[in-house]
Amino acid sequence: MIGRWFLPGTTVGVLVAPLLGRWFGESFFLCELLSHFPVQYAGVSGLLIAFWLGKSRWTMAFVALLGLILNGYLSIGPFLATPPPPLMGQPDLRVFHANVLYTRTSYEPILDTIRRLKPDFFVLQEMTPEGYRAVSALKNDYPYQDSIWAKGPCYIVVGSRTPFTTDTLAELSHEVMFLTSTVRGKEMSLISVHTRTPLLPSWFEQRNRQLRFVADKLSHVKHPAVLIGDFNTSIFSPVYQHVFIDRRTSSLPITACRTNFGWTPTWPSILPLFYIPIDHAFVNTGYKTAGFRTLRTPGSDHRAICVDLVYQ
């Protein structure tokens, strides 16, 4: 009986799931979870079309076709991206971000990546006190370091080549790192957040409050600023679209750094078929993005991101 209904149910499911995600994902956490996978739904729909045509089940093949059209429409944007021409010379700012996975025991791969990329700032998330001690090996190149608690056993650690000040209120009210520094003679800010995983209604609401807070912070900074972190939501989420893209609550623009750089998923790296982009970077009008790439981080279930920025 289960086998008899599994494929028809899946055929209908990959059509209904993204609709539920779009319609109810802003208010109900389970529906938002359904919104993250249109790329995967499109792939499943394509396989189901071939299966039902082979069985001469025309109605089911048509339902699968509708699923392919809908999910293809929802997910096609990143695959049609046209990246800007390569940057000539050095960026005005390079930021490296990695969710390192709090259970790791060796930090050398991450430290080696930072040494190789030579960013102006590194932001490491899911760090433990042991990890913070390991990062002290970078003190010669990054003498200015700070950390804040994010959630559970996890901290955000930031390293900088230049001195910075932090906004204590942002840390205490929303577990957000908000620092201001002067890089290459210009004042700038960096904001980082590692949000709650929205697997419970209260965590869903807390994550959304954090996302609204950092989006508004970024858009209201008067000088160039970048926001980077593990947002625990994908580019397909209605929450993400509302807070960061539609900007219905603010007329001040911010821009996703991954825009025009193609399909750049970051999690879960151990299950590539389920890859979705949940680690993000945004800039205000002070910067434009010259480069956005993801990098493998051994020992973590996330890919890291490296962002190159230039002044507008």
Side-chain angles (χ1 to χ4, degrees), residues 67-189:
L68 178 62
I69 293 171
L70 172 63
N71 288 294
Y73 170 76
L74 294 175
S75 62
I76 194 65
F79 296 94
L80 300 178
T82 303
L87 177 66
M88 303 300 292
Q90 296 297 312
D92 293 318
L93 185 76
R94 172 172 288 178
V95 182
F96 172 79
H97 167 273
N99 181 321
V100 303
L101 190 60
Y102 71 95
T103 56
R104 74 159 55 237
T105 56
S106 173
Y107 290 86
E108 279 306 312
I110 293 293
L111 303 186
D112 289 343
T113 300
I114 293 171
R115 293 184 184 108
R116 175 172 56 85
L117 293 175
K118 299 179 173 62
D120 297 288
F121 293 92
F122 65 77
V123 180
L124 304 180
Q125 299 189 338
E126 287 202 16
M127 291 287 279
T128 61
E130 178 186 359
Y132 194 22
R133 289 191 293 271
V135 169
S136 65
L138 299 174
K139 278 283 190 178
N140 285 340
D141 292 324
Y142 298 91
Y144 308 98
Q145 297 182 10
D146 199 0
S147 68
I148 66 166
W149 176 79
K151 58 182 182 177
C154 303
Y155 290 76
I156 301 172
V157 174
V158 173
S160 171
R161 297 180 182 275
T162 53
F164 59 81
T165 59
T166 57
D167 183 337
T168 305
L169 183 59
E171 175 184 349
L172 295 177
S173 64
H174 288 82
E175 292 84 47
V176 167
M177 173 70 79
F178 184 178
L179 65 85
T180 301
S181 184
T182 299
V183 178
R184 295 178 179 85
K186 287 199 174 184
E187 187 178 20
M188 56 77 61
S189 287

Side-chain angles (χ1 to χ4, degrees), residues 19-312:
L19 295 175
L20 291 175
R22 282 278 166 166
W23 292 340
F24 304 109
E26 275 195 66
S27 56
F28 186 45
F29 73 105
L30 290 178
C31 287
E32 195 217 11
L33 292 175
L34 296 175
S35 73
H36 297 315
F37 302 98
V39 173
Q40 289 78 7
Y41 296 152
V44 172
S45 296
L47 294 175
L48 288 169
I49 290 171
F51 175 81
W52 292 123
L53 288 176
K55 296 289 186 180
S56 299
R57 296 281 299 274
W58 312 118
T59 300
M60 296 309 300
F62 179 71
V63 174
L65 176 62
L66 292 178
L68 178 62
I69 293 171
L70 172 63
N71 288 294
Y73 170 76
L74 294 175
S75 62
I76 194 65
F79 296 94
L80 300 178
T82 303
L87 177 66
M88 303 300 292
Q90 296 297 312
D92 293 318
L93 185 76
R94 172 172 288 178
V95 182
F96 172 79
H97 167 273
N99 181 321
V100 303
L101 190 60
Y102 71 95
T103 56
R104 74 159 55 237
T105 56
S106 173
Y107 290 86
E108 279 306 312
I110 293 293
L111 303 186
D112 289 343
T113 300
I114 293 171
R115 293 184 184 108
R116 175 172 56 85
L117 293 175
K118 299 179 173 62
D120 297 288
F121 293 92
F122 65 77
V123 180
L124 304 180
Q125 299 189 338
E126 287 202 16
M127 291 287 279
T128 61
E130 178 186 359
Y132 194 22
R133 289 191 293 271
V135 169
S136 65
L138 299 174
K139 278 283 190 178
N140 285 340
D141 292 324
Y142 298 91
Y144 308 98
Q145 297 182 10
D146 199 0
S147 68
I148 66 166
W149 176 79
K151 58 182 182 177
C154 303
Y155 290 76
I156 301 172
V157 174
V158 173
S160 171
R161 297 180 182 275
T162 53
F164 59 81
T165 59
T166 57
D167 183 337
T168 305
L169 183 59
E171 175 184 349
L172 295 177
S173 64
H174 288 82
E175 292 84 47
V176 167
M177 173 70 79
F178 184 178
L179 65 85
T180 301
S181 184
T182 299
V183 178
R184 295 178 179 85
K186 287 199 174 184
E187 187 178 20
M188 56 77 61
S189 287
L190 182 146
I191 307 167
S192 184
V193 64
H194 184 190
T195 68
R196 277 283 187 180
T197 306
L199 297 179
L200 295 172
S202 61
W203 292 2
F204 177 74
E205 292 299 326
Q206 183 178 351
R207 184 211 60 182
N208 293 348
R209 286 195 299 271
Q210 289 178 293
L211 293 179
R212 289 191 294 267
F213 178 79
V214 294
D216 288 340
K217 277 287 190 183
L218 177 64
S219 67
H220 285 89
V221 175
K222 301 300 183 183
H223 45 259
V226 54
L227 161 65
I228 198 163
D230 177 356
F231 291 11
N232 275 311
T233 191
S234 77
I235 60 176
F236 307 113
S237 161
V239 175
Y240 174 96
Q241 292 291 324
H242 180 183
V243 174
F244 294 102
I245 306 303
D246 297 343
R247 303 293 292 149
R248 292 195 291 264
T249 59
S250 173
S251 60
L252 301 170
I254 60 177
T255 304
C257 294
R258 63 169 20 95
T259 303
N260 296 324
F261 286 92
W263 176 238
T264 51
T266 59
W267 177 89
S269 60
I270 57 175
L271 296 171
L273 289 178
F274 295 92
Y275 252 161
I276 55 175
I278 68 170
D279 300 271
H280 305 283
F282 283 83
V283 291
N284 66 1
T285 55
Y287 285 122
K288 66 178 180 180
T289 307
F292 182 97
R293 50 185 160 147
T294 67
L295 305 102
R296 181 172 172 267
T297 50
S300 175
D301 57 343
H302 287 247
R303 290 180 68 87
I305 57 179
C306 183
V307 183
D308 289 335
L309 306 174
V310 293
Y311 293 120
Q312 291 271 38

